[in-house]
Amino acid sequence: MNYLITGATGQIGSGVVKCLLERGERPRVFVRDAEKARARYGDRVDIITGDLADAKSLAAALRGIDALLLINVGHEIEARDEAAARAAKAAGVKHLVKLSSMDAQQNAGTGAWHARGESAIRVSGIAFTFVQPGGFMSNALGWAASIKAEGVVRSPTGDGRIAFIHPDDIVAVTTLALTTQKYEGEMLPISGPEALSYAEMTEKIGAAAGKPVKFEPISEEQERQQMTKEDEPPEIIEAHISIYRAIREGRLARVTDNVNRVVGRKPIRFEQWAQENAAAFC
Ligand SMILES: NC(=O)c1ccc[n+]([C@@H]2O[C@H](COP(=O)([O-])OP(=O)(O)OC[C@H]3O[C@@H](n4cnc5c(N)ncnc54)[C@H](OP(=O)(O)O)[C@@H]3O)[C@@H](O)[C@H]2O)c1
């Protein structure tokens, strides 16, 4: 099997490349910055430079590829998924695995972009698997600055719960979806083992870091002002606010058993992630 991995310099794509290397594969990676990829993988992968915004560069990278891992970020996901699926179909790729989002099923925030991307891929006629993780545990690294400075996490999520998933579980499911064709035509919504409120996750980080950390609920408007101060573009701000609202209203609390079904073990608990990353909060 010949694999093309996009997003190979990012969190999930790099994990998948690592797993493929461990299995003795030599994947092709599609990256914007060859030096960044070379620093990470040396000569153990074939590096193709391009940009998902430029479908021609992707088409060239797809020659001779059997399975494509598609990782698209940002508000142009729909157009880029559509172009990638067309290029993959034209190149004779047999299977496209898209890193999507569980929020696609709720049409919340960035999930709405993924939902439209999934539709475009279905229309292309290529065989697909949509890996749909809920929120990543690693998102909690975004709380590190306020935890370090003030011992506090602020968010407009109220008492709402979400079952954050460990990145290693996303990597494991994605790698298996890519290397076995077992899940063709399926959506794989994947979550951590339990839905937790932000206050509960804050407490677990405090326990791992060995210091008191408290949760302070804020309004959507306060969050919007904070993100504006941090120079986030308006579409990203509104996508985040929409996710926070969905969490607060209990719409993203779903727990699935797909990590267990696909990988054959229980998903990793938030406590473990907090222990692995405790230094980031001290
Ligand atoms: N965070 C969450 O809670 C969550 C939940 C559900 C789903 N998701 C989805 O997960 C995905 C993000 O995964 P991740 O955390 O692994 O991403 P990440 O760490 O932010 O990495 C993004 C990767 O995409 C590459 N990239 C960005 N723009 C590109 C372009 N125009 N052409 C080619 N490559 C490009 C980046 O390359 P460079 O190194 O060149 O920047 C990088 O390798 C998104 O689709 C997101 O919606 C996230």
Side-chain angles (χ1 to χ4, degrees), residues 7-13 30-33 36 50-53 71-73 77 80 99-102 110 114 133-136 139:
T9 51
Q11 187 176 203
I12 305 305
F30 179 79
V31 294
R32 295 191 286 191
D33 181 345
K36 203 167 164 182
D51 194 304
L52 285 163
I71 298 181
N72 256 316
V73 298
I77 284 175
R80 291 180 185 182
L99 179 63
S100 184
S101 168
M102 206 193 302
T110 50
H114 281 298
F136 296 3
N139 292 353

Side-chain angles (χ1 to χ4, degrees), residues 34-271:
E35 281 315 309
K36 203 167 164 182
R38 203 160 289 119
R40 205 180 261 269
Y41 305 117
D43 62 0
R44 292 172 300 156
V45 302
D46 293 315
I47 300 172
I48 308 279
T49 314
D51 194 304
L52 285 163
D54 170 13
K56 274 195 197 143
S57 65
L58 182 64
L62 284 165
R63 272 183 219 123
I65 289 296
D66 301 300
L68 165 66
L69 173 60
L70 182 59
I71 298 181
N72 256 316
V73 298
H75 67 288
E76 290 176 48
I77 284 175
E78 178 184 5
R80 291 180 185 182
D81 278 1
E82 182 181 12
R86 272 211 209 134
K89 180 86 175 139
V93 173
K94 297 180 196 80
H95 188 201
L96 183 160
V97 175
K98 169 179 163 61
L99 179 63
S100 184
S101 168
M102 206 193 302
D103 306 355
Q105 300 196 351
Q106 286 288 338
N107 247 345
T110 50
W113 304 337
H114 281 298
R116 293 197 289 270
E118 288 183 0
S119 298
I121 292 168
R122 284 176 193 274
V123 167
S124 77
I126 195 164
F128 65 83
T129 304
F130 300 144
V131 177
Q132 298 178 321
F136 296 3
M137 290 182 184
S138 47
N139 292 353
L141 290 173
W143 308 340
S146 68
I147 288 180
K148 284 202 272 197
E150 307 168 73
V152 70
V153 172
R154 296 186 185 90
S155 131
T157 44
D159 296 330
R161 290 190 154 80
I162 182 161
F164 275 173
I165 178 166
H166 195 297
D168 288 355
D169 284 338
I170 306 171
V171 166
V173 169
T174 306
T175 304
L176 284 163
L178 198 66
T179 54
T180 70
Q181 279 73 54
K182 261 183 166 175
Y183 307 101
E184 263 186 38
E186 282 193 50
M187 296 186 290
L188 296 173
I190 48 174
S191 73
E194 60 180 338
L196 297 168
S197 68
Y198 275 43
E200 288 165 333
M201 288 189 276
T202 299
E203 202 184 305
K204 290 179 195 299
I205 287 175
K211 63 187 209 183
V213 188
K214 62 176 181 166
F215 173 69
E216 254 178 45
I218 56 171
S219 68
E220 285 185 5
E221 197 40 45
Q222 284 170 302
E223 177 66 23
R224 200 173 272 117
Q225 281 168 12
Q226 180 59 32
M227 289 187 79
T228 306
K229 251 196 250 164
E230 289 161 8
D231 265 350
E232 293 287 357
E235 64 275 10
I236 297 289
I237 296 178
E238 289 317 312
H240 276 85
I241 295 286
S242 151
I243 289 175
Y244 293 140
R245 187 177 308 140
I247 294 171
R248 196 175 63 241
E249 293 172 353
R251 286 184 279 126
L252 297 185
R254 183 174 175 202
V255 175
T256 78
D257 68 353
N258 278 325
V259 170
N260 203 354
R261 178 167 75 95
V262 175
V263 187
R265 60 160 173 74
K266 289 194 172 127
I268 302 165
R269 301 180 66 80
F270 189 80
E271 284 87 343

